[in-house]
């Protein structure tokens, strides 16, 4: 069999790159990681993702793919071991629906709370409202994927880390144990799964990095 | 086995149209339930409590929302006339262009539609950039799906179905044949496909409705 080449163009502080790392690790796929020096995007990145010019980009045997959720679905189809999506079409549709909901309705609200100067409490309230809705997809299961982690777990899971960072820096509450008991319990379990935990960047470095980012976004003085 | 397929829809929604096209291409019998979005039915609120939007496909009582999610469900459930190609990489590319349609192309065309003067000129730059990618993707192909229409064609199909309506209303060409010959040819080929053609909303009714939306939007600005 021909030698397989798998490359991941990423950024250490990107939760979207982390999702893809988790997927590759869960499948036991060996890959070469290429750290992009953002914001100085490499010619390689611009060639592999001319449309969005963003990481993550997966390059499998020379063929590039962009957009983290699409990449994860591709990984699930290209490597059949440890399936991330369920077999049943309706369950698959549910997983995709909630991943899309998270990206389109939760993430922008969390980013809004993080980037705001003056409106962070209102935006955080909206973020909490939407995050709470995710509990519908947990339906009394330990993970979104059921007994073990799957597509939706790795799509959403990074909120457990970045959410806490936004809470600390912006002085807001996003994941409230009292009003979101299922989500809180799930996050605690998810982040302890060894393969997941091993990929998470250093909390301290992430916090410092995002403090700097926050200053730029809110125009705060140093 | 008795199968029940319902589609909560509106006659003018381009998102619902994607699903109609998919079901018809696969020869799936379904009931259309026309929703009044100014007065959403208990059924819609029950079947799509999260977004409260159409389209919603209800298959044997189980609801699915979000048009691209529905398309994928339809393709996985009814295997005749596959919308997605076989290989994982080609499938991922089809999804990529579908996402590109909603993320980039749609907002840029809407931008030109509701803006005026200098703002509109700038919005055109955005459209040209997006159309260039589509033009490149169509090289050597009749449709995004190859010889016949597929997932990406259905996702992008609103361009073929709706841009002429928008052009008529604002009196400006949005997709110029000289600049984008392949995209223009694809638009013409797409709406000629019998199932697509027979499903198109009534033209004059659509023009009136969308003109009204634009006027309301500009009046409120």
């Amino acid at each position: 069999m021909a030698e397989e080449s798998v490359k991941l163009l990423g950024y250490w502080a990107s939760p979207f790159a982390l999702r893809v790392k988790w997927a590759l690790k869960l499948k036991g796929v060996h890959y070469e990681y290429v750290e992009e020096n953002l914001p100085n995007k490499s010619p390689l990145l611009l060639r592999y993702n001319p449309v969005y010019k963003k990481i993550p980009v997966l390059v499998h045997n020379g063929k590039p793919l962009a957009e983290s959720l699409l990449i994860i679905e591709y990984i699930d189809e290209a490597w059949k071991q440890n399936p991330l999506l369920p077999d049943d079409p309706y369950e698959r549709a549910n997983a995709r629906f909630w991943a899309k909901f998270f990206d389109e309705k939760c993430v922008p609200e969390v980013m809004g709370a993080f980037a705001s100067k003056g409106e962070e409490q209102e935006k955080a309230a909206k973020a909490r409202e939407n995050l709470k809705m995710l509990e519908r997809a947990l339906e009394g299961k330990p993970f979104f994927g059921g007994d073990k982690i799957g597509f939706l777990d790795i799509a959403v899971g990074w909120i457990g880390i970045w959410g806490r960072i936004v809470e600390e820096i912006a002085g807001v509450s996003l994941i409230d144990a009292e009003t979101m008991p299922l989500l809180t319990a799930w996050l605690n379990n998810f982040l302890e799964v060894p393969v997941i935990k091993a990929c998470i960047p250093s909390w301290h470095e992430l916090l410092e990095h995002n403090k700097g980012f926050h200053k730029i976004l809110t125009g705060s003085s140093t | 086995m008795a199968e029940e397929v319902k589609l909560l829809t509106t006659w003018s929604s381009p998102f619902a149209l994607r699903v109609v096209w998919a079901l018809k291409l696969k020869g799936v019998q379904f009931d259309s339930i026309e929703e009044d979005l100014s007065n959403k039915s208990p059924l819609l609120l029950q079947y799509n409590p999260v977004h409260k939007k159409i389209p919603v496909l209800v298959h044997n009582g189980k609801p699915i929302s979000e048009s691209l999610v529905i398309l994928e469900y339809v393709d996985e459930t009814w295997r005749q006339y596959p919308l997605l190609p076989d290989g994982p990489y080609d499938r991922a590319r089809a999804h990529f262009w579908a996402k590109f349609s909603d993320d980039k192309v749609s907002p840029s065309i809407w931008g030109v539609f509701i803006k005026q003067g200098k703002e509109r000129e700038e919005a055109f730059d955005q459209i040209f950039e997006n159309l260039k990618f589509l033009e490149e993707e169509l090289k050597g192909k009749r449709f995004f799906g190859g010889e016949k229409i597929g997932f990406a064609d259905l996702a992008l199909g609103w361009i073929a179905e709706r841009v002429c309506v928008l052009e008529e209303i604002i009196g400006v060409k949005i997709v110029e044949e000289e600049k984008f010959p392949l995209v223009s040819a694809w638009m013409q080929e797409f709406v000629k496909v019998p199932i697509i053609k027979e499903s198109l909303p009534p033209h004059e009714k659509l023009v009136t409705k969308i003109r009204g939306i634009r006027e309301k939007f500009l009046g409120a600005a």
Side-chain angles (χ1 to χ4, degrees):
Chain A
M1 193 176 85
E3 181 102 346
E4 186 152 61
S5 137
V6 184
K7 234 192 286 228
L8 173 63
L9 276 67
Y11 182 60
W12 72 275
S14 161
F16 301 100
L18 184 56
R19 282 172 163 173
V20 178
K21 273 189 209 167
W22 279 337
L24 290 166
K25 291 280 186 195
L26 283 166
K27 294 268 182 184
V29 174
H30 292 290
Y31 66 97
E32 182 198 337
Y33 177 73
V34 178
E35 176 78 7
E36 275 291 316
N37 178 21
L38 300 179
N40 296 317
K41 296 176 184 182
S42 72
L44 201 69
L45 174 58
L46 299 178
R47 175 159 64 97
Y48 280 146
N49 189 4
V51 175
Y52 294 102
K53 305 176 180 56
K54 286 181 177 178
I55 57 93
V57 176
L58 187 80
V59 189
H60 185 199
N61 295 333
K63 291 177 169 179
L65 276 175
E67 297 298 288
S68 58
L69 293 181
L70 299 191
I71 297 172
I72 296 169
E73 282 215 43
Y74 171 79
I75 290 170
D76 203 32
E77 291 183 12
W79 291 278
K80 302 291 201 186
Q81 64 276 24
N82 197 17
L84 300 173
L85 276 165
D87 280 327
D88 174 63
Y90 186 71
E91 296 307 315
R92 292 161 74 86
N94 271 332
R96 289 173 182 135
F97 173 86
W98 286 110
K100 196 170 195 278
F101 173 79
F102 176 72
D103 273 8
E104 290 176 5
K105 299 287 177 186
C106 299
V107 175
E109 302 295 342
V110 169
M111 282 307 299
F114 182 63
S116 168
K117 200 176 181 183
E119 286 181 341
E120 53 269 29
Q121 296 304 330
E122 295 97 276
K123 295 200 187 230
K126 186 68 194 166
R128 280 198 303 276
E129 196 182 306
N130 289 350
L131 285 167
K132 169 82 185 157
M133 281 204 223
L134 288 172
E135 290 195 327
R136 297 179 198 213
L138 273 172
E139 293 163 357
K141 300 178 287 189
F143 299 108
F144 288 108
D147 287 326
K148 58 185 183 87
I149 58 181
F151 177 82
L152 190 53
D153 297 278
I154 61 176
V156 176
W158 60 268
I159 200 67
I161 310 146
W162 272 262
R164 294 282 178 233
I165 284 180
V166 171
E167 285 177 341
E168 183 158 332
I169 296 174
V172 295
S173 166
L174 291 173
I175 299 154
D176 175 40
E178 218 176 283
T179 57
M180 301 171 200
L182 296 181
L183 206 65
T184 307
W186 162 72
L187 274 172
N188 290 339
N189 289 332
F190 176 76
L191 295 172
E192 285 303 312
V193 172
V195 152
I196 299 300
K197 197 170 180 177
C199 296
I200 297 171
S202 136
W203 168 265
H204 177 76
E205 282 176 32
L206 216 46
L207 187 66
E208 289 310 303
H209 169 81
N210 280 292
K211 275 184 184 164
F213 200 22
H214 183 250
K215 286 195 176 97
I216 295 169
L217 286 173
T218 57
S220 312
S221 54
T222 45
Chain B
M1 184 183 86
E3 186 154 64
E4 193 193 57
V5 184
K6 276 196 260 239
L7 181 66
L8 276 66
T9 183
T10 64
W11 68 270
S12 59
S13 161
F15 301 102
L17 207 45
R18 286 170 168 171
V19 182
V20 168
W21 290 334
L23 292 169
K24 287 194 171 182
L25 283 167
K26 292 193 178 257
V28 176
Q29 299 297 315
F30 65 98
D31 285 322
S32 243
I33 299 174
E34 183 77 13
E35 279 289 323
D36 173 5
L37 295 181
S38 63
N39 186 20
K40 293 177 184 181
S41 73
L43 205 67
L44 174 56
L45 300 178
Q46 181 205 335
Y47 281 143
N48 191 359
V50 174
H51 298 294
K52 306 177 178 55
K53 286 181 176 179
I54 58 94
V56 180
L57 186 79
V58 188
H59 184 205
N60 294 334
K62 290 177 168 177
I64 304 119
S65 310
E66 296 296 288
S67 61
L68 296 183
V69 174
I70 299 173
L71 279 191
E72 222 172 336
Y73 174 82
V74 167
D75 204 34
E76 290 178 3
T77 303
W78 293 281
R79 310 295 255 171
Q80 63 277 23
Y81 196 106
L83 299 172
L84 282 163
D86 279 328
Y89 186 73
D90 292 333
R91 292 163 72 85
R93 293 297 290 175
H95 282 126
F96 179 85
W97 293 114
K99 192 167 194 284
F100 178 68
S101 165
D102 287 359
D103 283 352
K104 295 276 186 185
V105 186
S106 179
S108 66
I109 288 189
W110 177 250
V112 151
F113 185 60
I114 56 164
K115 287 176 180 156
Q116 298 177 106
K118 188 158 195 302
E119 274 195 331
R120 184 199 276 176
E121 280 172 39
E122 283 160 12
F124 262 112
D125 289 338
Q126 201 50 59
I127 291 188
F128 293 156
E129 176 145 338
N130 293 334
L131 289 178
K132 264 192 253 168
F133 289 120
L134 295 181
E135 188 78 10
E136 182 67 33
E137 183 59 22
L138 278 170
K139 277 192 180 142
K141 296 198 287 196
R142 197 169 154 222
F143 297 110
F144 290 99
E147 271 311 297
K148 56 190 184 85
I149 58 179
F151 190 89
D153 297 279
L154 298 191
L156 289 156
W158 63 270
I159 300 172
E161 180 261 329
R162 197 128 313 190
V163 161
C164 56
V165 171
L166 306 182
E167 288 172 340
E168 190 176 320
I169 293 169
I170 62 172
V172 175
K173 201 90 178 101
I174 297 173
V175 182
E176 288 175 68
E177 201 168 327
E178 273 160 35
K179 285 196 171 89
F180 304 104
L182 297 180
V183 174
S184 300
W186 167 78
M187 285 165 71
Q188 286 164 42
E189 285 293 314
F190 183 80
V191 291
K192 273 194 217 152
V193 172
I195 279 183
I196 305 299
K197 192 172 178 181
E198 78 189 31
S199 314
L200 296 176
H203 184 83
E204 282 313 316
K205 195 177 171 190
L206 197 58
V207 170
T208 306
K209 174 166 185 166
I210 296 179
R211 182 177 277 130
I213 292 173
R214 183 171 185 261
E215 275 161 16
K216 211 170 168 186
F217 198 88
L218 292 175

